[in-house]
Amino acid sequence: MSRPFRKVIYSDRLRKNYHILKSLSPNSTSVPVVKADAYGHGLSETAKILTEEGAERLGVAFADEALLLRKSGIRSSVLVMTVSEENYYENLITENIEFSISDISDLYAVSKTAVRIGKNARVHIKTDTGMGRNGIRYDECEAFSSACKNMRGIEFIGLMSHFACADEPSHPLNSLQIRRFQTAIEVMKQQGIEFEYHHLCNSGGLINFPEAHYNMVRFGISLYGYSPGNATALPAGIRPVMEIHGQLSHVKRIRKGESISYGASWIAQQEGFLAIVPLGYGDGYPRQLSGSNCTVLVNGQHYRICGRICMDQIMIFSPEQVLKKGDEVCIMGTQREQSITAENLADGAGTISYDILTGFLPRLPGVYL
């Protein structure tokens, strides 16, 4: 490798996490979500591992992600979960990719394309039950279904919605969304539109609301080893899939009173040794961690970051001469029974683990073990 740092993706953990989550709803079709480059874990590689484990469907956010999966040889069903641009319809239909529709005018456009090319579109209708984003309003489903029930070129595969607060099990919106979704199912059925699949659950819904599993469930963040929120406990055995390891690139002496990094905001309070970690915000390590209590692991010991995080480097300090060039560094993961998680980094940066995982950039190479 050209760099002494890499993302390490443990495929055995991914496989195990998938089967644990799948077992929570054995009578439902599981849709592991691989959007956003599989939450930073590598879209094509992650998809291949999951299909090897029997995943029948994969979930993505955008049409181009689905088409990339097809180009990489993934032939299982793929569901595009957000709005697709009209210029993608023909390719999606041709490649047997399922996609969601949130608007009657979009459905008309899909129908027109499907009829023109002589192949049915496989569509999931999204209804907004309280998330407030994409989807037909839950109280407008009757008018929608009445307008589209005789539409040509459309296979209605699924009716879907999305929890807003499933990671907070006691939030009252959860039960309200379940009731609204059930009503939407019944209204559509009364209008003559029935779906093969109904799906509402994300990771939080899968873990916290078994009564809302229906016959399809989707899970993203939990697949990669993290909880969707502090109030949601992951099932036993789930582990983070990604770790980030590298080596110290430089160690030198620093004297008391000398400053480190941009702005000279960190001043050495005693003589000691400065070590350089060759990774920075240009790799996706949050600059907001400058001045926080966050640490990196070297030789199984935590070392606090000193000075502002740079685009390409992080500095750490030791009062003892115990660090040397080439020592193994862990930015996220486990080293000698000590750990740093994406949640630790998220807490220090004032964000969430999703943001940390998806934030690591392509110049940080990945290896799969």
Side-chain angles (χ1 to χ4, degrees):
M1 285 188 181
S2 62
R3 293 195 63 195
F5 256 92
R6 68 274 182 198
K7 293 190 293 187
V8 181
I9 314 298
Y10 290 94
S11 62
D12 57 335
R13 299 182 191 178
L14 179 67
R15 296 174 197 272
K16 185 175 181 180
N17 290 354
Y18 169 70
H19 287 292
I20 291 172
L21 294 165
K22 192 174 187 299
S23 72
L24 297 181
S25 190
N27 298 319
S28 301
T29 296
S30 292
V31 183
V33 177
V34 294
K35 65 178 181 176
D37 198 35
Y39 288 58
H41 294 68
L43 175 65
S44 297
E45 296 87 349
T46 299
K48 287 173 183 176
I49 292 167
L50 292 169
T51 54
E52 287 172 4
E53 295 304 304
E56 301 172 18
R57 273 179 166 76
L58 300 169
V60 297
F62 298 114
D64 56 354
E65 294 174 319
L67 294 170
L68 278 172
L69 287 177
R70 286 288 186 260
K71 287 181 180 178
S72 64
I74 301 298
R75 306 319 303 173
S76 18
S77 295
V78 179
L79 169 60
V80 179
M81 298 181 293
T82 65
V83 175
S84 299
E85 297 297 323
E86 187 172 345
N87 59 304
Y88 279 106
Y89 292 163
E90 183 170 342
N91 282 339
L92 292 173
I93 296 168
T94 301
E95 292 287 351
N96 292 314
I97 294 168
E98 299 172 8
F99 54 103
S100 68
I101 291 293
S102 295
D103 182 87
I104 189 66
S105 63
D106 289 343
L107 193 62
Y108 280 124
V110 171
S111 173
K112 182 178 178 181
T113 302
V115 170
R116 176 174 57 80
I117 67 175
K119 184 173 183 178
N120 286 348
R122 296 173 59 82
V123 166
H124 292 242
I125 300 301
K126 181 174 282 189
T127 176
D128 179 13
T129 56
M131 184 67 172
R133 298 189 309 195
N134 303 326
I136 311 300
R137 281 184 56 91
Y138 68 93
D139 52 1
E140 295 177 356
C141 283
E142 182 174 359
F144 174 85
S145 55
S146 178
C148 70
K149 61 183 178 182
N150 295 318
M151 203 169 288
R152 297 166 59 203
I154 303 294
E155 286 184 48
F156 292 103
I157 304 299
L159 181 66
M160 64 185 292
S161 192
H162 192 72
F163 274 119
C165 305
D167 57 314
E168 303 174 49
S170 61
H171 199 291
L173 184 55
N174 292 313
S175 58
L176 181 59
Q177 284 194 261
I178 295 171
R179 292 197 301 272
R180 287 173 173 174
F181 189 59
Q182 187 61 42
T183 299
I185 294 171
E186 294 166 2
V187 166
M188 292 274 198
K189 186 175 182 179
Q190 289 167 6
Q191 291 293 318
I193 299 181
E194 295 192 49
F195 300 89
E196 182 179 357
Y197 295 105
H198 303 113
H199 48 116
L200 171 62
C201 285
N202 51 9
S203 287
L206 172 65
I207 295 167
N208 294 322
F209 299 103
E211 71 274 22
H213 285 181
Y214 293 97
N215 62 352
M216 182 178 279
V217 293
R218 314 179 302 264
F219 44 84
I221 191 69
S222 57
L223 178 65
Y224 304 103
Y226 287 94
S227 170
N230 293 333
T232 296
L234 288 173
I238 297 281
R239 295 179 65 191
V241 174
M242 181 197 299
E243 297 191 359
I244 299 179
H245 295 270
Q247 297 175 331
L248 294 179
S249 62
H250 185 61
V251 179
K252 69 176 184 180
R253 185 182 298 276
I254 183 172
R255 289 179 166 74
K256 180 179 179 179
E258 292 182 338
S259 64
I260 299 298
S261 195
Y262 293 106
S265 59
W266 190 91
I267 307 295
Q269 301 301 303
Q270 62 184 112
E271 185 170 309
F273 296 85
L274 181 77
I276 306 298
V277 179
L279 172 142
Y281 63 78
D283 301 290
Y285 192 83
R287 189 174 182 272
Q288 298 95 309
L289 294 178
S290 302
S292 72
N293 290 322
C294 280
T295 62
V296 304
L297 288 167
V298 185
N299 301 323
Q301 299 294 319
H302 288 271
Y303 290 89
R304 284 184 61 181
I305 295 166
C306 59
R308 293 180 186 169
I309 293 166
C310 306
M311 184 180 290
D312 313 303
Q313 299 177 90
I314 298 168
M315 286 65 66
I316 59 175
F317 173 82
S318 172
E320 308 284 339
Q321 193 171 2
V322 293
L323 303 176
K324 64 182 184 301
K325 179 179 178 178
D327 278 350
E328 183 74 16
V329 185
C330 177
I331 296 299
M332 188 175 78
T334 300
Q335 188 187 75
R336 299 188 190 179
E337 300 184 355
Q338 297 295 315
S339 295
I340 297 171
T341 67
E343 289 164 344
N344 296 144
L345 301 181
D347 288 344
T351 185
I352 55 177
S353 58
Y354 302 72
D355 187 24
I356 298 297
L357 294 176
T358 60
F360 289 110
L361 300 174
R363 79 169 189 170
L364 187 63
V367 295
Y368 293 80
L369 302 181

